[in-house]
């Protein structure tokens, strides 16, 4: 575990949530060498198998933004990187950075960070009170239809916006950036060559979406200022017919098991 007390204040922090990405698909593509950008940065080139704190986007992000990141899929207790200060916490360790706030963005803002959210899926669209709840935790938030689930170029569009944000950020100001990537979420059929809308989304189109993400996400990492502490993970998985299930917000293994990685860009 990184000592986050040595990280916070001296590093920018980037949290990338690859919305809906399944662990099994991510692990298979990594092992096959089909996601070279991500596996080139992950420790030992592999995703860590973890369990999500929520089975759909809003629940998972609300927990993660309170310091409850996906938990290692092995017996614990597992110390956390970030934790709101409260009595009796069994996962707050000497290397945990604690904050006197209800959520991580507010805690980091108090530590001098500029907090930015670039959303993807509907819970970040700011079109409704619910769609504004998560973005409202940040000093600056961005969403437009070109960042959402229906645009095949959503990730490149989001990275364009991030480039603008970073370009105007004072050099001495630390940054906490949340990027919620919508590409893996349905619909994703358009990422698989030859697929049509009538074919629908499948495990194969999900994998094609991850290859698309890997092809573009290197630009994001290139934009980030150094040093930068990076967390890349899924918020939850999704089912494509397993045991008769489709989608998420259900208690199935393919939903609760997610890929996780952390590393430092230096």
């Amino acid at each position: 575990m990184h000592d986050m007390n040595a990280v916070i204040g001296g590093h920018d922090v980037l949290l990338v949530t690859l919305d809906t990405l399944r662990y099994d698909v991510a692990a298979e593509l990594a092992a096959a060498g089909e996601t070279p950008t991500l596996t080139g940065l992950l420790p030992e080139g592999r995703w860590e198998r973890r369990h999500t704190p929520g089975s759909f986007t809003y629940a998972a992000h609300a927990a993660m933004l309170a310091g409850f990141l996906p938990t290692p899929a092995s017996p614990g207790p597992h110390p956390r990187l970030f934790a709101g200060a409260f009595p009796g916490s069994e996962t707050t360790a000497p290397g945990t950075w604690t904050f006197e706030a209800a959520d991580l963005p507010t805690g980091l803002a108090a530590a001098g960070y500029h907090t930015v959210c670039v959303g993807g899926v509907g819970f970040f669209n700011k079109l409704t009170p619910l769609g504004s709840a998560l973005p409202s935790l940040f000093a600056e938030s961005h969403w437009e239809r070109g960042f959402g689930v229906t645009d095949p170029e959503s990730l490149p569009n989001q990275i364009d916006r991030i480039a603008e944000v970073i370009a105007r950020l004072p050099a001495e100001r630390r940054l906490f950036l949340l990027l919620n990537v919508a590409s893996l979420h349905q619909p994703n059929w358009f990422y698989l060559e030859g697929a049509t809308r009538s074919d629908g989304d499948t495990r194969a189109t999900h994998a094609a979406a991850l290859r698309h993400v890997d092809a573009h996400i290197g630009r994001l990492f290139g934009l980030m200022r150094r040093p930068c502490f990076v967390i890349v993970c899924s918020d939850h998985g999704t089912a494509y017919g397993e045991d008769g299930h489709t989608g998420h917000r259900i208690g199935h293994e393919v939903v609760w098991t997610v890929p996780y990685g952390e590393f430092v860009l230096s």
Side-chain angles (χ1 to χ4, degrees), residues 14 106 189 230:
L14 170 65
T106 301
W189 59 267
V230 182

Side-chain angles (χ1 to χ4, degrees), residues 113-166:
Y113 280 73
H114 181 53
T115 61
V116 180
C117 170
V118 178
V121 304
F123 286 111
F124 295 91
N125 65 20
K126 301 195 290 184
L127 300 178
T128 65
L130 181 57
S132 302
L134 294 171
S136 71
L137 301 176
F138 295 80
E140 180 179 345
S141 60
H142 300 269
W143 187 90
E144 59 187 52
R145 292 196 181 278
F147 299 172
V149 298
T150 59
D151 194 322
E153 296 301 308
S154 58
L155 179 55
N157 294 339
Q158 289 176 306
I159 296 173
D160 287 343
R161 182 62 52 85
I162 290 169
E164 296 172 6
V165 169
I166 292 176

Side-chain angles (χ1 to χ4, degrees), residues 69-88:
L69 295 168
T71 307
S74 60
H78 299 286
R80 287 186 288 143
L81 299 179
F82 312 100
F86 67 94

